[in-house]
Amino acid sequence: MVKEKILSLLKKKNKEYVSGESLAKKLGISRTAVWKNIKALKKEGYKVAAKPRVGYRLIGKPDLLSTLEIKDGLKTRIFGCKVFCFKELSSTQEVAKKLAAQGCAEGTVVVAEKQTKGRGRIGREWVSPMGGVWLSIVLRPEIPPQHSQRITLVTGVAVAKTIRKLYGLDAKIKWPNDVLVNGYKVCGILVEASGEADRINYMVVGVGVNLNVDFAKVNPSLVGIAASISQILGKKVSRVEFIREFLVEMEKLYILFSRSKFNQILVEWKNLSETLGCKVKVISQKEAFVGKALDVDEDGFLLVRVEDGTVRKIVAGDVSIRRE
Ligand code: BTN
C-alpha cells in the first residue's frame, strides 16, 4: 500500500523533511497522490508537517492501535497477515469468529482499543478498558479437537516470553491460561474452537493483557488479584511494541507446534509454570477439592494428587494456588 510505504519512508528520515518530489519518484506516483496519502495519514492521527518547496516531516504518531503501526516492521509471515483494528468492540472474539467463519486467512488478528462485552473463561466478564491489549487471532491448525488445549498452553508460553523479553519481568503461567507477574494476573487467554467431532475448522485465540490499565480506577474489586504491567514497572509501555513482539513469539511457537514439536513447548511451559509443585484448590462444575499439582500431561491437562493418594486429571475448571 502506498500509504504504508510513505509512512515508512517518513519514519526512516527520522523527523527530517522528505520532498514530495522524491516520494513521488520513489513510489512512481504523482505529487498529488503523495499529498492525498499524507492527508489520509493525518486522518489516522499521524502528525505530518508540510513545508512548501521543502516537503513533509513526520512529527508525531497516534497513540491509537492502527493496522499501519502494528504491521510496520512486523517480522512474521502468518500472524498479522491481516490486522483489523477497532476503537471499540463488544468482543474481539466475536469479530474474529465471524471472520473465521467467512474463511479469513490463518493469522488474521482483530484488535480493539476497548471491549464493552469482553469475555473471560467460564462465561465470566473480562474488564477491557482503554490501555490494555485486547486481541484475537484466527488459527486453522490441523489437529484433532482433543488437542485444542495445547494451543492454550502454547499461547501462555508466548505471552510469558514476550513479557520477560520486553520488560525483564519474572512472568509465570498458572494452569491453564493465566500469566502472572509477582503473583498478580496480568493476562488471560481464551481459546475457542469450531469444528466437527474429528477435525477443527478454526480456532480463535483471545489474549487480554493488562498493559496500561489502572485497576484502582476501572475496577477496584480486582486490586490485589490482577495488576497491569505499567503498575508493576511504574511507567506506561507501548501496546504496539507488545503486540508485534507477541505475534513474533506466537508465530515461532505455532510453527514448532505445527511441526509436531509440542513436547518442546511443554518443557518451556513447565519451566514457566507457577502451578506445578504447589498445593492447589480445584473448583470444577461438579466438585471442589485440594491437592498437589504434579504435572501437565501431553494434552495439556493438569495432574493433581489428592489426599487419598490418587491422581486426578483436570481437564477444565478453576485452579487456585494455596500459598500457606
Ligand atoms: C480469562 O482469563 O478468563 C480469559 C480472558 C480473555 C480475554 C480476552 S481479551 C481479547 C479476547 N476478547 C474477549 O472477549 N476475550 C478475550
Side-chain angles (χ1 to χ4, degrees), residues 90-94 110 112 115 117-128 133-137 177-179 185 187-192 204-209:
S90 54
S91 159
T92 55
Q93 289 295 98
E94 302 320 315
V110 178
Q115 301 183 113
K117 283 204 180 107
R119 290 194 295 111
R121 281 175 67 230
I122 340 181
R124 291 189 184 132
E125 181 201 1
W126 182 259
V127 182
S128 326
V133 163
W134 324 121
L135 65 80
S136 299
I137 311 173
N177 64 346
D178 294 351
V179 180
K185 180 161 172 171
C187 165
I189 295 159
L190 176 69
V191 176
E192 295 177 290
V204 172
V205 174
V207 177
V209 192

Side-chain angles (χ1 to χ4, degrees), residues 251-268:
E251 179 168 296
K252 270 193 230 159
L253 292 169
Y254 186 65
I255 290 172
L256 209 60
F257 175 82
S258 311
R259 293 184 184 145
S260 307
K261 298 273 171 30
F262 175 68
N263 278 345
Q264 275 183 36
I265 301 169
L266 193 55
V267 172
E268 287 199 67

